[in-house]
Amino acid sequence: MNTLVWALASAGALASALAVIVQRNPFISAIALLGNLASLATLYLLLQSDFVAAAQIMVYAGAIMVMFLFVIAYIGPRGEVQDERRRGWQIGAACAAAGAILVEVAWTVGRSGLTSAATVKDDFGSPKHVGELFLTRYVGAFEIVSLLLLVAAIAAVVLGAGARPNRVRMDERQAKVRAARQLAAQREPGA
Amino acid sequence: MTPDVGNYLLVSAAMFTIGLVGVIVRRSPLVVLLSLELMLNSANLVLVAFGRYHGGQDGQIFALVVMGVAAAEVVVGLGLIVAMERRRMLLDTDEIAELRG
């Protein structure tokens, strides 16, 4: 039973991960990542990490992905890079390097002699235990993460609202394109 | 019969490599950020799997901290993308090369 659920969740996770990097439309990529996160939450449940699974759904699927979808909707079709094709050898080299890492890890795992997991109590990974650890031994990490999130929120406000669009220098390349178009329009007033 | 920790490690490694290929191959900064999420999540899976293997809950704490860091990273990354959009820059990681040495 567990093996069946594991196989289904793993297949879902890998298929949706592939969909994330293959899809041209960033919106569909984000939806695929949502499926990936749900599959991972299933795997966490199999590993008896209930609280992490719940946090995965709430924090990732609930908060982070909504932020992604908002930005994708805000940017619109400009989020898709036109003519996004790498040269063949670039894709080949990237896949070969990644495949080499995968083979290396698989080989190491195969020889590592990791076999059966430790036996744990039924309330392993319950919010009670995780919260206790967070507020005792790892209280420093807890506070630093809260500080980090605060700084990130300030940074987002500064980045998003800092410069007024009409006073910003246009990107050089696009300014050139625009100037060339104006020149062409002046030469051919009818066009 | 339950899958042992090695199976989870293999899934995680495969996910990490998929994310790595995405970061290298894709040029849209949005998709690069999504691929980064894949890589962070695969690391989380390893942390949780090893935590379960050793019977300790410290790995889960680490995974939760990684989630917080990922949230901060996404906030800054999306903020940068929105700022680029407001400046009408091309959203293409090959074109954003002004800091290249």
Side-chain angles (χ1 to χ4, degrees):
Chain A
M1 182 63 197
N2 273 1
T3 313
L4 181 67
V5 176
W6 173 83
L8 283 177
S10 306
L14 294 184
S16 51
L18 267 180
V20 168
I21 68 165
V22 168
Q23 284 295 332
R24 300 193 78 81
N25 188 342
F27 187 78
I28 298 179
S29 289
I31 299 296
L33 185 63
L34 215 53
N36 183 268
L37 298 176
S39 310
L40 275 185
T42 313
L43 290 180
Y44 293 159
L45 282 180
L46 275 183
L47 290 164
Q48 297 183 13
S49 307
D50 313 356
F51 183 70
V52 181
Q56 169 93 354
I57 295 293
M58 279 193 292
V59 175
Y60 258 118
I64 297 182
M65 290 315 294
V66 168
M67 215 151 56
F68 258 112
L69 292 177
F70 262 122
V71 171
I72 290 170
Y74 172 67
I75 289 174
R78 268 169 50 82
E80 283 177 72
V81 176
Q82 296 301 314
D83 188 28
E84 189 179 20
R85 295 251 32 115
R86 292 277 189 195
R87 278 179 221 106
W89 68 266
Q90 287 176 318
I91 296 179
C95 289
I101 295 176
L102 185 58
V103 169
E104 190 183 335
V105 172
W107 194 69
T108 314
V109 168
R111 291 177 52 99
S112 61
L114 294 169
T115 50
S116 52
T119 48
V120 291
K121 292 192 200 119
D122 275 349
D123 61 350
F124 178 84
S126 70
K128 178 168 173 281
H129 292 299
V130 175
E132 242 174 47
L133 268 181
F134 243 139
L135 291 179
T136 53
R137 200 191 303 171
Y138 296 106
V139 69
F142 185 72
E143 296 297 335
I144 290 173
V145 166
S146 65
L147 202 65
L148 178 71
L149 286 172
L150 178 68
V151 172
I154 296 173
V157 171
V158 170
L159 283 172
R164 297 219 181 89
N166 55 355
R167 292 173 57 188
V168 167
R169 180 179 61 90
M170 208 181 295
D171 184 41
E172 220 167 278
R173 194 187 148 107
Q174 289 183 334
K176 271 182 202 160
V177 170
R178 183 164 292 191
R181 276 198 198 131
Q182 277 175 351
L183 205 66
Q186 279 168 4
R187 280 185 189 152
E188 306 173 57
Chain B
M1 171 66 193
T2 55
D4 57 6
V5 65
N7 301 33
Y8 292 98
L9 294 187
L10 285 183
V11 174
S12 162
M15 240 176 80
F16 187 87
T17 45
I18 291 173
L20 183 64
V21 170
V23 168
I24 296 175
V25 166
R26 294 299 299 260
R27 278 164 45 190
S28 166
L30 277 168
V31 181
V32 169
L33 271 183
L34 288 171
S35 305
L36 273 177
E37 291 301 307
L38 281 180
M39 294 167 77
L40 282 166
N41 271 302
S42 69
N44 264 356
L45 182 57
V46 172
L47 287 170
V48 172
F50 269 121
R52 174 67 187 79
Y53 178 74
H54 291 296
Q57 283 149 359
D58 308 46
Q60 298 179 27
I61 303 286
F62 211 143
L64 289 168
V65 170
V66 170
M67 271 186 213
V69 173
E73 170 243 325
V74 165
V75 163
V76 174
L78 288 179
L80 282 174
I81 292 176
V82 169
M84 281 158 55
E85 164 69 17
R86 284 164 65 100
R87 284 163 196 252
R88 304 262 167 252
M89 285 166 72
L90 284 173
L91 289 177
D92 184 340
T93 50
D94 278 7
E95 300 294 333
I96 311 161
E98 285 177 27
L99 286 182
R100 185 182 287 164

